[in-house]
Amino acid sequence: VQLQASGGGLVQPGGSLRLSCAVSGSIFSIHGMGWYRHTPETPHELVASITSGGRTNYGDSVKGRFTISGDNTKNTIYLQMNSLKSEDTAVYYCNAEIEDWRHDQSDYWGQGTLVTVSS
């Protein structure tokens, strides 16, 4: 099982970026997926998560600015980030709770993607 994240980059304050994370490999089901971000000051912060049923949850600092969505047919989630601020600068990691064919559930992580908000 692999998680492939993409979409990071450099953007000016007030700008937008869209992150994607795709799950590949042999799986039974995905229970939920989400994005976390790491900075030296905040090493593990929930950005947003989404369940297989579409229920979403957001960190307080991104509510109203970020939107998480998913495409179950592609085992992919997206994070639309608008009105970006310098404090959103971080390495963003994708996470997935996956059930395998033995019905064991595990957490998987993608490689980080760097988002830099700077003028």
Side-chain angles (χ1 to χ4, degrees), residues 6-110:
S6 61
L10 173 65
V11 63
Q12 292 186 341
S16 299
L17 277 177
R18 188 193 195 207
L19 305 183
S20 300
C21 178
V23 175
S24 62
S26 179
I27 64 172
F28 179 76
S29 68
I30 300 174
H31 289 240
M33 294 184 70
W35 292 95
Y36 291 78
R37 64 188 183 187
H38 292 204
T39 67
E41 296 78 23
T42 310
H44 189 73
E45 179 186 11
L46 169 69
V47 178
S49 64
I50 186 168
T51 68
S52 58
R55 187 171 61 196
T56 59
N57 185 41
Y58 294 92
D60 288 341
S61 63
V62 306
K63 286 179 180 176
R65 300 188 297 122
F66 292 9
T67 302
I68 190 170
S69 60
D71 185 338
N72 290 338
T73 65
K74 297 180 179 179
N75 289 341
T76 299
I77 60 168
Y78 307 94
L79 183 69
Q80 179 65 43
M81 304 184 294
N82 298 329
S83 302
L84 282 160
K85 306 175 182 179
S86 58
E87 50 263 46
D88 294 318
T89 296
V91 179
Y92 287 69
Y93 292 89
C94 175
N95 167 266
E97 300 173 31
I98 293 174
E99 182 175 344
D100 62 25
W101 292 100
R102 296 177 301 176
H103 302 293
D104 292 329
Q105 189 171 330
S106 301
D107 268 349
Y108 290 85
W109 293 89

